[in-house]
Amino acid sequence: MNFADTQISRVKEYWDRRPCNIRHSPEPVGTRQYFDEVEARKYFVEPHIPGFAQFDRWRGKKVLEIGCGIGTDTINFASSGAHVSAVDLSEKSMELARTRASVFGLQDHIRFYSGNAEELSRFVPAEPYDLIYSFGVIHHTPHPDVVLDQLRQYTRPGTTIKIMVYHRRSYKVASILLTEGRGQFWKLPDLVAKNSEAQTGCPVTYSYSRREGRQLLERHGFRVREIRVDHIFPYRIPDYVQYRYVKEPYLRWMPQPLFRALERRFGWHLLLTAEA
C-alpha cells in the first residue's frame, strides 16, 4: 500500500475523532483527576516511556515535541523544568493538551503549535533545541522522511533526537497477520495500518525493522547512538477497556524475565536515540 498518496486531512480527521489515550480514564474529561488517571494508565502499560524520555535530564533545556497528543509526556517534560515547544496535527488533541497545561499551572512553560509536521518550518520558528522528541507519531504521517528533513532546522551539534516508531518484526505484527489477516502477508502494510491503534482504520502506519529505523535517521544526517525494542501489550482487551488488568492466559504464568526477554526481541516499539 502506498501511504505517500494519503491526504493529510484524512490523518487529521482520524486523530480528531479519537485522540490517543483519550479513554484512559472514566473521569470527566479535562479535570485534574482525569489527567492524573490518563498518565497513570499510560505509564502502567508502557513503563518504558519515562526511561526513554528521561524527563529530569532536560531540566532547563529546550525540548521540541513532535506529536504531543493530549500532553502526557509534554507535562512531564515541563514539570521537570524543561522549556517545551509542542506540536500536533490534531486540533482536538491540542485543545486537551492546552487544558492540561492550564490545569497543572504549566501554560507558561509550554508553547503549543498546531500543524502538519511535514511543514514544520512554516509555523514553528527555526531555532536550535537540546532535545527533539517524538513518541509514536512520525510513522503516522504520509511522508516520514519529510519530517526528518524538517528537523534539521531545529538542531545544533549535540542535539539529541529520541523517536519511537513501530517495529515490524514484532509480536503485534505477527498477531495482526495471523488473526485479522489470516496469513495474507501480501496485505501486511494495510493490515498493520488498520489495526495498529485502539480505533481501527488508521489511514497511515509505517513500521520498521531495526536496520530501517537506523537508516531513517542516518539518511538525514543524524548519528544513531542506541536502538532498543520494547513493549508487548499483555492484557485482555475486554477487561482492559473496563479498566481491569487481566493478562492473556498464555502470558499469565510466564516468568517475568522471559516476558521481558520477549519484549526486548519482539516488542512493538522501536526506540531510536540519535545525535545531530
Side-chain angles (χ1 to χ4, degrees), residues 212-256:
E212 290 167 341
R214 176 184 292 276
Q215 291 172 342
L216 176 68
L217 290 171
E218 287 185 343
R219 63 175 166 260
H220 296 280
F222 300 122
R223 298 183 297 277
V224 175
R225 298 304 191 197
E226 182 182 48
I227 300 176
R228 291 193 293 117
V229 167
D230 211 318
H231 186 54
I232 293 175
F233 185 81
Y235 302 105
R236 289 166 40 90
I237 297 299
D239 292 291
Y240 181 71
V241 298
Q242 296 298 320
Y243 304 98
R244 297 189 297 265
Y245 300 95
V246 180
K247 290 185 176 180
E248 295 283 2
Y250 53 87
L251 294 174
R252 202 169 299 164
W253 307 112
M254 182 179 290
Q256 185 65 15

mmCIF file of all heavy atoms in Angstrom, residues 212-256:
data_model
loop_
_atom_site.group_PDB
_atom_site.id
_atom_site.type_symbol
_atom_site.label_atom_id
_atom_site.label_comp_id
_atom_site.label_asym_id
_atom_site.label_seq_id
_atom_site.Cartn_x
_atom_site.Cartn_y
_atom_site.Cartn_z
ATOM 1 N N GLU A 212 16.062 -0.540 9.211
ATOM 2 C CA GLU A 212 15.328 0.535 8.542
ATOM 3 C C GLU A 212 15.156 1.748 9.445
ATOM 4 O O GLU A 212 15.174 2.883 8.981
ATOM 5 C CB GLU A 212 13.969 0.019 8.079
ATOM 6 C CG GLU A 212 14.066 -0.971 6.929
ATOM 7 C CD GLU A 212 12.763 -1.706 6.681
ATOM 8 O OE1 GLU A 212 11.900 -1.744 7.589
ATOM 9 O OE2 GLU A 212 12.612 -2.264 5.569
ATOM 10 N N GLY A 213 14.990 1.509 10.751
ATOM 11 C CA GLY A 213 14.909 2.616 11.688
ATOM 12 C C GLY A 213 16.198 3.407 11.729
ATOM 13 O O GLY A 213 16.196 4.643 11.743
ATOM 14 N N ARG A 214 17.316 2.688 11.755
ATOM 15 C CA ARG A 214 18.616 3.351 11.718
ATOM 16 C C ARG A 214 18.765 4.168 10.434
ATOM 17 O O ARG A 214 19.186 5.327 10.463
ATOM 18 C CB ARG A 214 19.732 2.321 11.819
ATOM 19 C CG ARG A 214 21.138 2.905 11.685
ATOM 20 C CD ARG A 214 22.201 1.827 11.701
ATOM 21 N NE ARG A 214 22.306 1.189 12.994
ATOM 22 C CZ ARG A 214 23.017 1.657 14.007
ATOM 23 N NH1 ARG A 214 23.698 2.807 13.867
ATOM 24 N NH2 ARG A 214 23.080 1.020 15.157
ATOM 25 N N GLN A 215 18.401 3.574 9.304
ATOM 26 C CA GLN A 215 18.540 4.260 8.018
ATOM 27 C C GLN A 215 17.641 5.490 7.940
ATOM 28 O O GLN A 215 18.027 6.505 7.343
ATOM 29 C CB GLN A 215 18.219 3.295 6.881
ATOM 30 C CG GLN A 215 19.245 2.190 6.704
ATOM 31 C CD GLN A 215 18.818 1.143 5.702
ATOM 32 O OE1 GLN A 215 17.639 1.030 5.360
ATOM 33 N NE2 GLN A 215 19.777 0.361 5.222
ATOM 34 N N LEU A 216 16.458 5.416 8.548
ATOM 35 C CA LEU A 216 15.541 6.552 8.545
ATOM 36 C C LEU A 216 16.204 7.794 9.118
ATOM 37 O O LEU A 216 16.046 8.906 8.601
ATOM 38 C CB LEU A 216 14.283 6.206 9.351
ATOM 39 C CG LEU A 216 13.238 7.315 9.535
ATOM 40 C CD1 LEU A 216 12.576 7.662 8.202
ATOM 41 C CD2 LEU A 216 12.184 6.890 10.565
ATOM 42 N N LEU A 217 16.962 7.624 10.183
ATOM 43 C CA LEU A 217 17.643 8.747 10.820
ATOM 44 C C LEU A 217 18.962 9.092 10.140
ATOM 45 O O LEU A 217 19.278 10.264 9.936
ATOM 46 C CB LEU A 217 17.873 8.440 12.299
ATOM 47 C CG LEU A 217 16.615 8.423 13.174
ATOM 48 C CD1 LEU A 217 16.943 7.885 14.556
ATOM 49 C CD2 LEU A 217 16.004 9.806 13.289
ATOM 50 N N GLU A 218 19.708 8.073 9.772
ATOM 51 C CA GLU A 218 21.045 8.334 9.238
ATOM 52 C C GLU A 218 21.013 9.013 7.877
ATOM 53 O O GLU A 218 21.922 9.792 7.562
ATOM 54 C CB GLU A 218 21.833 7.031 9.175
ATOM 55 C CG GLU A 218 22.270 6.548 10.553
ATOM 56 C CD GLU A 218 23.165 5.327 10.495
ATOM 57 O OE1 GLU A 218 23.192 4.654 9.430
ATOM 58 O OE2 GLU A 218 23.828 5.035 11.511
ATOM 59 N N ARG A 219 20.007 8.750 7.063
ATOM 60 C CA ARG A 219 19.996 9.409 5.755
ATOM 61 C C ARG A 219 19.659 10.889 5.838
ATOM 62 O O ARG A 219 19.731 11.604 4.845
ATOM 63 C CB ARG A 219 19.057 8.688 4.791
ATOM 64 C CG ARG A 219 17.588 8.656 5.134
ATOM 65 C CD ARG A 219 16.810 8.008 3.976
ATOM 66 N NE ARG A 219 15.453 7.642 4.368
ATOM 67 C CZ ARG A 219 15.069 6.410 4.696
ATOM 68 N NH1 ARG A 219 15.939 5.416 4.694
ATOM 69 N NH2 ARG A 219 13.817 6.167 5.037
ATOM 70 N N HIS A 220 19.313 11.346 7.045
ATOM 71 C CA HIS A 220 19.103 12.773 7.264
ATOM 72 C C HIS A 220 20.228 13.384 8.100
ATOM 73 O O HIS A 220 20.090 14.501 8.610
ATOM 74 C CB HIS A 220 17.738 13.009 7.907
ATOM 75 C CG HIS A 220 16.607 12.604 7.010
ATOM 76 N ND1 HIS A 220 16.158 13.402 5.978
ATOM 77 C CD2 HIS A 220 15.886 11.467 6.948
ATOM 78 C CE1 HIS A 220 15.189 12.780 5.335
ATOM 79 N NE2 HIS A 220 15.004 11.605 5.901
ATOM 80 N N GLY A 221 21.312 12.652 8.236
ATOM 81 C CA GLY A 221 22.495 13.193 8.877
ATOM 82 C C GLY A 221 22.567 13.006 10.375
ATOM 83 O O GLY A 221 23.467 13.557 11.020
ATOM 84 N N PHE A 222 21.643 12.243 10.974
ATOM 85 C CA PHE A 222 21.671 12.005 12.410
ATOM 86 C C PHE A 222 22.478 10.743 12.720
ATOM 87 O O PHE A 222 22.347 9.723 12.041
ATOM 88 C CB PHE A 222 20.252 11.865 12.960
ATOM 89 C CG PHE A 222 19.394 13.084 12.733
ATOM 90 C CD1 PHE A 222 18.202 12.993 12.021
ATOM 91 C CD2 PHE A 222 19.776 14.322 13.206
ATOM 92 C CE1 PHE A 222 17.411 14.104 11.804
ATOM 93 C CE2 PHE A 222 18.998 15.451 12.994
ATOM 94 C CZ PHE A 222 17.804 15.338 12.288
ATOM 95 N N ARG A 223 23.290 10.807 13.771
ATOM 96 C CA ARG A 223 24.121 9.673 14.186
ATOM 97 C C ARG A 223 23.379 8.862 15.241
ATOM 98 O O ARG A 223 23.125 9.357 16.350
ATOM 99 C CB ARG A 223 25.465 10.156 14.735
ATOM 100 C CG ARG A 223 26.307 10.921 13.719
ATOM 101 C CD ARG A 223 27.660 11.321 14.284
ATOM 102 N NE ARG A 223 27.525 12.237 15.410
ATOM 103 C CZ ARG A 223 27.362 13.556 15.291
ATOM 104 N NH1 ARG A 223 27.301 14.111 14.087
ATOM 105 N NH2 ARG A 223 27.261 14.321 16.362
ATOM 106 N N VAL A 224 23.021 7.654 14.914
ATOM 107 C CA VAL A 224 22.257 6.806 15.829
ATOM 108 C C VAL A 224 23.169 6.293 16.935
ATOM 109 O O VAL A 224 24.217 5.696 16.665
ATOM 110 C CB VAL A 224 21.597 5.635 15.075
ATOM 111 C CG1 VAL A 224 20.897 4.696 16.049
ATOM 112 C CG2 VAL A 224 20.613 6.173 14.037
ATOM 113 N N ARG A 225 22.753 6.546 18.182
ATOM 114 C CA ARG A 225 23.547 6.140 19.341
ATOM 115 C C ARG A 225 23.001 4.873 20.001
ATOM 116 O O ARG A 225 23.754 4.124 20.619
ATOM 117 C CB ARG A 225 23.567 7.268 20.385
ATOM 118 C CG ARG A 225 24.202 8.572 19.890
ATOM 119 C CD ARG A 225 25.609 8.344 19.392
ATOM 120 N NE ARG A 225 26.327 9.591 19.166
ATOM 121 C CZ ARG A 225 27.439 9.679 18.442
ATOM 122 N NH1 ARG A 225 27.939 8.602 17.877
ATOM 123 N NH2 ARG A 225 28.027 10.847 18.279
ATOM 124 N N GLU A 226 21.703 4.654 19.887
ATOM 125 C CA GLU A 226 21.117 3.486 20.552
ATOM 126 C C GLU A 226 19.840 3.079 19.830
ATOM 127 O O GLU A 226 19.055 3.923 19.398
ATOM 128 C CB GLU A 226 20.801 3.804 22.019
ATOM 129 C CG GLU A 226 20.244 2.617 22.790
ATOM 130 C CD GLU A 226 19.879 2.961 24.233
ATOM 131 O OE1 GLU A 226 19.199 3.982 24.443
ATOM 132 O OE2 GLU A 226 20.271 2.196 25.129
ATOM 133 N N ILE A 227 19.646 1.773 19.701
ATOM 134 C CA ILE A 227 18.406 1.210 19.173
ATOM 135 C C ILE A 227 17.934 0.150 20.156
ATOM 136 O O ILE A 227 18.683 -0.770 20.499
ATOM 137 C CB ILE A 227 18.610 0.578 17.780
ATOM 138 C CG1 ILE A 227 19.096 1.620 16.773
ATOM 139 C CG2 ILE A 227 17.315 -0.070 17.294
ATOM 140 C CD1 ILE A 227 19.406 1.039 15.405
ATOM 141 N N ARG A 228 16.709 0.296 20.623
ATOM 142 C CA ARG A 228 16.124 -0.692 21.531
ATOM 143 C C ARG A 228 14.720 -1.051 21.051
ATOM 144 O O ARG A 228 14.074 -0.275 20.368
ATOM 145 C CB ARG A 228 16.032 -0.158 22.965
ATOM 146 C CG ARG A 228 17.367 0.028 23.649
ATOM 147 C CD ARG A 228 17.201 0.260 25.137
ATOM 148 N NE ARG A 228 16.557 1.531 25.441
ATOM 149 C CZ ARG A 228 15.388 1.667 26.061
ATOM 150 N NH1 ARG A 228 14.697 0.584 26.415
ATOM 151 N NH2 ARG A 228 14.891 2.861 26.319
ATOM 152 N N VAL A 229 14.281 -2.221 21.454
ATOM 153 C CA VAL A 229 12.916 -2.678 21.185
ATOM 154 C C VAL A 229 12.260 -2.970 22.522
ATOM 155 O O VAL A 229 12.895 -3.511 23.439
ATOM 156 C CB VAL A 229 12.935 -3.931 20.286
ATOM 157 C CG1 VAL A 229 11.569 -4.605 20.255
ATOM 158 C CG2 VAL A 229 13.372 -3.573 18.871
ATOM 159 N N ASP A 230 10.964 -2.595 22.646
ATOM 160 C CA ASP A 230 10.249 -2.825 23.908
ATOM 161 C C ASP A 230 8.751 -2.862 23.647
ATOM 162 O O ASP A 230 8.298 -2.435 22.586
ATOM 163 C CB ASP A 230 10.573 -1.716 24.919
ATOM 164 C CG ASP A 230 10.530 -2.205 26.362
ATOM 165 O OD1 ASP A 230 9.608 -2.967 26.707
ATOM 166 O OD2 ASP A 230 11.425 -1.823 27.148
ATOM 167 N N HIS A 231 8.021 -3.371 24.600
ATOM 168 C CA HIS A 231 6.567 -3.301 24.712
ATOM 169 C C HIS A 231 5.798 -4.385 23.955
ATOM 170 O O HIS A 231 5.664 -4.360 22.735
ATOM 171 C CB HIS A 231 6.035 -1.933 24.276
ATOM 172 C CG HIS A 231 4.546 -1.790 24.520
ATOM 173 N ND1 HIS A 231 3.962 -2.011 25.744
ATOM 174 C CD2 HIS A 231 3.527 -1.480 23.686
ATOM 175 C CE1 HIS A 231 2.661 -1.804 25.664
ATOM 176 N NE2 HIS A 231 2.369 -1.507 24.427
ATOM 177 N N ILE A 232 5.307 -5.341 24.733
ATOM 178 C CA ILE A 232 4.264 -6.274 24.294
ATOM 179 C C ILE A 232 3.076 -6.050 25.216
ATOM 180 O O ILE A 232 3.211 -6.129 26.441
ATOM 181 C CB ILE A 232 4.730 -7.740 24.366
ATOM 182 C CG1 ILE A 232 5.840 -7.991 23.336
ATOM 183 C CG2 ILE A 232 3.568 -8.700 24.139
ATOM 184 C CD1 ILE A 232 6.458 -9.380 23.419
ATOM 185 N N PHE A 233 1.931 -5.744 24.659
ATOM 186 C CA PHE A 233 0.727 -5.487 25.457
ATOM 187 C C PHE A 233 0.147 -6.827 25.902
ATOM 188 O O PHE A 233 -0.302 -7.620 25.069
ATOM 189 C CB PHE A 233 -0.289 -4.711 24.626
ATOM 190 C CG PHE A 233 -1.508 -4.286 25.398
ATOM 191 C CD1 PHE A 233 -1.464 -3.164 26.206
ATOM 192 C CD2 PHE A 233 -2.693 -5.005 25.316
ATOM 193 C CE1 PHE A 233 -2.571 -2.762 26.923
ATOM 194 C CE2 PHE A 233 -3.814 -4.613 26.031
ATOM 195 C CZ PHE A 233 -3.757 -3.484 26.834
ATOM 196 N N PRO A 234 0.126 -7.121 27.223
ATOM 197 C CA PRO A 234 -0.231 -8.472 27.677
ATOM 198 C C PRO A 234 -1.681 -8.646 28.132
ATOM 199 O O PRO A 234 -2.068 -9.759 28.511
ATOM 200 C CB PRO A 234 0.706 -8.654 28.870
ATOM 201 C CG PRO A 234 0.790 -7.285 29.476
ATOM 202 C CD PRO A 234 0.695 -6.310 28.310
ATOM 203 N N TYR A 235 -2.487 -7.584 28.114
ATOM 204 C CA TYR A 235 -3.785 -7.629 28.773
ATOM 205 C C TYR A 235 -4.925 -7.986 27.826
ATOM 206 O O TYR A 235 -4.905 -7.654 26.634
ATOM 207 C CB TYR A 235 -4.072 -6.291 29.462
ATOM 208 C CG TYR A 235 -3.015 -5.929 30.468
ATOM 209 C CD1 TYR A 235 -2.066 -4.950 30.198
ATOM 210 C CD2 TYR A 235 -2.926 -6.619 31.678
ATOM 211 C CE1 TYR A 235 -1.066 -4.648 31.102
ATOM 212 C CE2 TYR A 235 -1.928 -6.316 32.596
ATOM 213 C CZ TYR A 235 -1.002 -5.332 32.309
ATOM 214 O OH TYR A 235 -0.013 -5.046 33.198
ATOM 215 N N ARG A 236 -5.942 -8.627 28.378
ATOM 216 C CA ARG A 236 -7.156 -8.965 27.624
ATOM 217 C C ARG A 236 -7.938 -7.684 27.338
ATOM 218 O O ARG A 236 -8.284 -6.950 28.272
ATOM 219 C CB ARG A 236 -8.024 -9.937 28.418
ATOM 220 C CG ARG A 236 -7.476 -11.336 28.527
ATOM 221 C CD ARG A 236 -8.196 -12.153 29.603
ATOM 222 N NE ARG A 236 -9.641 -11.908 29.606
ATOM 223 C CZ ARG A 236 -10.522 -12.616 28.876
ATOM 224 N NH1 ARG A 236 -10.092 -13.611 28.127
ATOM 225 N NH2 ARG A 236 -11.809 -12.339 28.941
ATOM 226 N N ILE A 237 -8.208 -7.417 26.069
ATOM 227 C CA ILE A 237 -8.868 -6.171 25.684
ATOM 228 C C ILE A 237 -10.236 -5.998 26.333
ATOM 229 O O ILE A 237 -10.549 -4.896 26.830
ATOM 230 C CB ILE A 237 -8.974 -6.068 24.149
ATOM 231 C CG1 ILE A 237 -7.569 -6.016 23.523
ATOM 232 C CG2 ILE A 237 -9.772 -4.831 23.748
ATOM 233 C CD1 ILE A 237 -6.743 -4.826 23.957
ATOM 234 N N PRO A 238 -11.131 -7.028 26.376
ATOM 235 C CA PRO A 238 -12.446 -6.819 27.014
ATOM 236 C C PRO A 238 -12.349 -6.354 28.466
ATOM 237 O O PRO A 238 -13.187 -5.568 28.929
ATOM 238 C CB PRO A 238 -13.109 -8.199 26.917
ATOM 239 C CG PRO A 238 -12.448 -8.843 25.732
ATOM 240 C CD PRO A 238 -11.022 -8.380 25.799
ATOM 241 N N ASP A 239 -11.349 -6.833 29.187
ATOM 242 C CA ASP A 239 -11.134 -6.382 30.566
ATOM 243 C C ASP A 239 -10.472 -5.012 30.600
ATOM 244 O O ASP A 239 -10.847 -4.154 31.410
ATOM 245 C CB ASP A 239 -10.273 -7.395 31.329
ATOM 246 C CG ASP A 239 -10.994 -8.699 31.569
ATOM 247 O OD1 ASP A 239 -11.950 -8.704 32.364
ATOM 248 O OD2 ASP A 239 -10.617 -9.704 30.963
ATOM 249 N N TYR A 240 -9.505 -4.812 29.728
ATOM 250 C CA TYR A 240 -8.745 -3.558 29.726
ATOM 251 C C TYR A 240 -9.639 -2.349 29.496
ATOM 252 O O TYR A 240 -9.469 -1.316 30.152
ATOM 253 C CB TYR A 240 -7.654 -3.631 28.661
ATOM 254 C CG TYR A 240 -6.786 -2.402 28.580
ATOM 255 C CD1 TYR A 240 -5.862 -2.115 29.588
ATOM 256 C CD2 TYR A 240 -6.885 -1.524 27.504
ATOM 257 C CE1 TYR A 240 -5.056 -0.994 29.518
ATOM 258 C CE2 TYR A 240 -6.078 -0.399 27.426
ATOM 259 C CZ TYR A 240 -5.169 -0.138 28.429
ATOM 260 O OH TYR A 240 -4.378 0.987 28.362
ATOM 261 N N VAL A 241 -10.597 -2.453 28.580
ATOM 262 C CA VAL A 241 -11.479 -1.311 28.311
ATOM 263 C C VAL A 241 -12.415 -1.039 29.484
ATOM 264 O O VAL A 241 -13.030 0.028 29.555
ATOM 265 C CB VAL A 241 -12.279 -1.507 27.007
ATOM 266 C CG1 VAL A 241 -11.341 -1.602 25.815
ATOM 267 C CG2 VAL A 241 -13.186 -2.726 27.076
ATOM 268 N N GLN A 242 -12.520 -1.987 30.403
ATOM 269 C CA GLN A 242 -13.300 -1.793 31.635
ATOM 270 C C GLN A 242 -12.382 -1.424 32.803
ATOM 271 O O GLN A 242 -12.795 -1.495 33.956
ATOM 272 C CB GLN A 242 -14.077 -3.071 31.958
ATOM 273 C CG GLN A 242 -15.118 -3.451 30.919
ATOM 274 C CD GLN A 242 -16.202 -2.403 30.782
ATOM 275 O OE1 GLN A 242 -16.655 -1.827 31.775
ATOM 276 N NE2 GLN A 242 -16.631 -2.153 29.541
ATOM 277 N N TYR A 243 -11.142 -1.058 32.481
ATOM 278 C CA TYR A 243 -10.146 -0.630 33.461
ATOM 279 C C TYR A 243 -9.766 -1.745 34.428
ATOM 280 O O TYR A 243 -9.480 -1.517 35.597
ATOM 281 C CB TYR A 243 -10.644 0.617 34.214
ATOM 282 C CG TYR A 243 -10.991 1.734 33.269
ATOM 283 C CD1 TYR A 243 -12.316 1.955 32.883
ATOM 284 C CD2 TYR A 243 -10.000 2.531 32.707
ATOM 285 C CE1 TYR A 243 -12.633 2.965 31.968
ATOM 286 C CE2 TYR A 243 -10.316 3.523 31.799
ATOM 287 C CZ TYR A 243 -11.626 3.732 31.428
ATOM 288 O OH TYR A 243 -11.934 4.716 30.525
ATOM 289 N N ARG A 244 -9.749 -2.975 33.897
ATOM 290 C CA ARG A 244 -9.250 -4.124 34.640
ATOM 291 C C ARG A 244 -8.022 -4.663 33.904
ATOM 292 O O ARG A 244 -8.011 -4.720 32.678
ATOM 293 C CB ARG A 244 -10.318 -5.214 34.760
ATOM 294 C CG ARG A 244 -11.565 -4.789 35.534
ATOM 295 C CD ARG A 244 -12.461 -5.989 35.799
ATOM 296 N NE ARG A 244 -12.950 -6.576 34.553
ATOM 297 C CZ ARG A 244 -14.117 -6.291 33.987
ATOM 298 N NH1 ARG A 244 -14.923 -5.402 34.569
ATOM 299 N NH2 ARG A 244 -14.496 -6.870 32.863
ATOM 300 N N TYR A 245 -7.012 -5.083 34.668
ATOM 301 C CA TYR A 245 -5.763 -5.540 34.073
ATOM 302 C C TYR A 245 -5.644 -7.050 34.258
ATOM 303 O O TYR A 245 -5.097 -7.529 35.254
ATOM 304 C CB TYR A 245 -4.578 -4.806 34.701
ATOM 305 C CG TYR A 245 -4.647 -3.310 34.498
ATOM 306 C CD1 TYR A 245 -5.200 -2.467 35.466
ATOM 307 C CD2 TYR A 245 -4.188 -2.730 33.322
ATOM 308 C CE1 TYR A 245 -5.279 -1.100 35.266
ATOM 309 C CE2 TYR A 245 -4.258 -1.366 33.117
ATOM 310 C CZ TYR A 245 -4.814 -0.557 34.091
ATOM 311 O OH TYR A 245 -4.893 0.794 33.892
ATOM 312 N N VAL A 246 -6.187 -7.774 33.303
ATOM 313 C CA VAL A 246 -6.155 -9.227 33.322
ATOM 314 C C VAL A 246 -5.321 -9.692 32.138
ATOM 315 O O VAL A 246 -5.669 -9.426 30.979
ATOM 316 C CB VAL A 246 -7.574 -9.828 33.232
ATOM 317 C CG1 VAL A 246 -7.508 -11.353 33.265
ATOM 318 C CG2 VAL A 246 -8.454 -9.298 34.359
ATOM 319 N N LYS A 247 -4.237 -10.390 32.396
ATOM 320 C CA LYS A 247 -3.350 -10.813 31.324
ATOM 321 C C LYS A 247 -3.970 -11.950 30.506
ATOM 322 O O LYS A 247 -4.800 -12.720 30.997
ATOM 323 C CB LYS A 247 -2.003 -11.256 31.886
ATOM 324 C CG LYS A 247 -1.159 -10.117 32.437
ATOM 325 C CD LYS A 247 0.210 -10.601 32.865
ATOM 326 C CE LYS A 247 1.073 -9.430 33.324
ATOM 327 N NZ LYS A 247 2.428 -9.876 33.742
ATOM 328 N N GLU A 248 -3.548 -12.022 29.257
ATOM 329 C CA GLU A 248 -3.938 -13.135 28.402
ATOM 330 C C GLU A 248 -3.486 -14.442 29.058
ATOM 331 O O GLU A 248 -2.413 -14.497 29.675
ATOM 332 C CB GLU A 248 -3.289 -13.002 27.030
ATOM 333 C CG GLU A 248 -3.757 -11.793 26.222
ATOM 334 C CD GLU A 248 -5.136 -12.003 25.611
ATOM 335 O OE1 GLU A 248 -5.741 -13.078 25.845
ATOM 336 O OE2 GLU A 248 -5.604 -11.092 24.909
ATOM 337 N N PRO A 249 -4.313 -15.500 28.938
ATOM 338 C CA PRO A 249 -3.962 -16.758 29.614
ATOM 339 C C PRO A 249 -2.573 -17.274 29.262
ATOM 340 O O PRO A 249 -1.852 -17.789 30.126
ATOM 341 C CB PRO A 249 -5.053 -17.718 29.123
ATOM 342 C CG PRO A 249 -6.210 -16.833 28.797
ATOM 343 C CD PRO A 249 -5.611 -15.567 28.264
ATOM 344 N N TYR A 250 -2.166 -17.148 28.004
ATOM 345 C CA TYR A 250 -0.873 -17.692 27.592
ATOM 346 C C TYR A 250 0.304 -16.855 28.082
ATOM 347 O O TYR A 250 1.464 -17.253 27.945
ATOM 348 C CB TYR A 250 -0.805 -17.844 26.073
ATOM 349 C CG TYR A 250 -1.152 -16.599 25.289
ATOM 350 C CD1 TYR A 250 -0.183 -15.649 24.991
ATOM 351 C CD2 TYR A 250 -2.450 -16.376 24.857
ATOM 352 C CE1 TYR A 250 -0.495 -14.511 24.285
ATOM 353 C CE2 TYR A 250 -2.777 -15.231 24.139
ATOM 354 C CZ TYR A 250 -1.803 -14.306 23.853
ATOM 355 O OH TYR A 250 -2.122 -13.157 23.151
ATOM 356 N N LEU A 251 0.017 -15.667 28.667
ATOM 357 C CA LEU A 251 1.080 -14.833 29.232
ATOM 358 C C LEU A 251 1.016 -14.765 30.761
ATOM 359 O O LEU A 251 1.957 -14.312 31.403
ATOM 360 C CB LEU A 251 0.993 -13.415 28.659
ATOM 361 C CG LEU A 251 1.277 -13.262 27.168
ATOM 362 C CD1 LEU A 251 1.016 -11.823 26.722
ATOM 363 C CD2 LEU A 251 2.714 -13.650 26.852
ATOM 364 N N ARG A 252 -0.097 -15.232 31.307
ATOM 365 C CA ARG A 252 -0.348 -15.042 32.735
ATOM 366 C C ARG A 252 0.698 -15.718 33.610
ATOM 367 O O ARG A 252 1.082 -15.186 34.651
ATOM 368 C CB ARG A 252 -1.752 -15.564 33.066
ATOM 369 C CG ARG A 252 -2.351 -14.997 34.331
ATOM 370 C CD ARG A 252 -3.820 -15.360 34.404
ATOM 371 N NE ARG A 252 -4.562 -14.795 33.268
ATOM 372 C CZ ARG A 252 -5.780 -15.201 32.898
ATOM 373 N NH1 ARG A 252 -6.370 -16.185 33.545
ATOM 374 N NH2 ARG A 252 -6.383 -14.629 31.879
ATOM 375 N N TRP A 253 1.140 -16.886 33.194
ATOM 376 C CA TRP A 253 2.055 -17.651 34.037
ATOM 377 C C TRP A 253 3.488 -17.609 33.524
ATOM 378 O O TRP A 253 4.354 -18.319 34.025
ATOM 379 C CB TRP A 253 1.568 -19.103 34.133
ATOM 380 C CG TRP A 253 0.149 -19.183 34.576
ATOM 381 C CD1 TRP A 253 -0.926 -19.598 33.851
ATOM 382 C CD2 TRP A 253 -0.373 -18.804 35.853
ATOM 383 N NE1 TRP A 253 -2.078 -19.502 34.573
ATOM 384 C CE2 TRP A 253 -1.773 -19.015 35.820
ATOM 385 C CE3 TRP A 253 0.201 -18.288 37.025
ATOM 386 C CZ2 TRP A 253 -2.591 -18.741 36.897
ATOM 387 C CZ3 TRP A 253 -0.622 -18.012 38.108
ATOM 388 C CH2 TRP A 253 -1.990 -18.240 38.037
ATOM 389 N N MET A 254 3.737 -16.769 32.542
ATOM 390 C CA MET A 254 5.092 -16.664 32.015
ATOM 391 C C MET A 254 5.985 -15.930 33.020
ATOM 392 O O MET A 254 5.630 -14.861 33.505
ATOM 393 C CB MET A 254 5.088 -15.899 30.680
ATOM 394 C CG MET A 254 6.468 -15.787 30.048
ATOM 395 S SD MET A 254 6.422 -14.903 28.454
ATOM 396 C CE MET A 254 5.568 -16.123 27.442
ATOM 397 N N PRO A 255 7.158 -16.460 33.333
ATOM 398 C CA PRO A 255 8.065 -15.749 34.251
ATOM 399 C C PRO A 255 8.412 -14.368 33.688
ATOM 400 O O PRO A 255 8.633 -14.215 32.484
ATOM 401 C CB PRO A 255 9.296 -16.655 34.297
ATOM 402 C CG PRO A 255 8.786 -18.007 33.911
ATOM 403 C CD PRO A 255 7.690 -17.768 32.923
ATOM 404 N N GLN A 256 8.468 -13.388 34.570
ATOM 405 C CA GLN A 256 8.731 -12.020 34.131
ATOM 406 C C GLN A 256 10.040 -11.865 33.359
ATOM 407 O O GLN A 256 10.080 -11.155 32.349
ATOM 408 C CB GLN A 256 8.706 -11.064 35.335
ATOM 409 C CG GLN A 256 8.848 -9.594 34.991
ATOM 410 C CD GLN A 256 7.681 -9.054 34.172
ATOM 411 O OE1 GLN A 256 6.625 -9.682 34.086
ATOM 412 N NE2 GLN A 256 7.866 -7.888 33.559
#
